Amino acid sequence: SGREIAVATSTDGVHWRYQQIVLAESFHLSYPYVFKSGTDYYMIPEAGGSNWRTGSRTRRTRCSPA
């Protein structure tokens, strides 16, 4: 567990709809920092002791590596 990060959406913050896995790795991932710049959303997850750094970018619910 802790090796995948997925996205879910909600219009009211109570009821959530699962969308898809946006990042899967062979090591621990947690606490993604998500922020918006213009129309793009960026995600930088904590990656435990792997010394790994990455960013992902998405528009709407389609996700792609940055």
Side-chain angles (χ1 to χ4, degrees):
S1 74
R3 296 179 178 189
E4 298 174 339
I5 294 178
V7 65
T9 57
S10 174
T11 58
D12 61 10
V14 175
H15 302 94
W16 291 87
R17 187 173 146 210
Y18 171 82
Q19 298 292 312
Q20 66 188 40
I21 292 172
V22 294
L23 185 61
E25 293 295 342
S26 61
F27 45 83
H28 178 81
L29 296 167
S30 61
Y31 304 107
Y33 174 62
V34 179
F35 60 96
K36 183 177 181 180
S37 178
T39 59
D40 293 333
Y41 287 89
Y42 294 85
M43 176 184 66
I44 302 171
E46 178 184 287
S50 67
N51 294 323
W52 178 82
R53 302 286 182 266
T54 191
S56 295
R57 177 182 66 214
T58 183
R59 287 191 181 95
R60 297 184 205 111
T61 57
R62 278 190 77 158
C63 300
S64 63

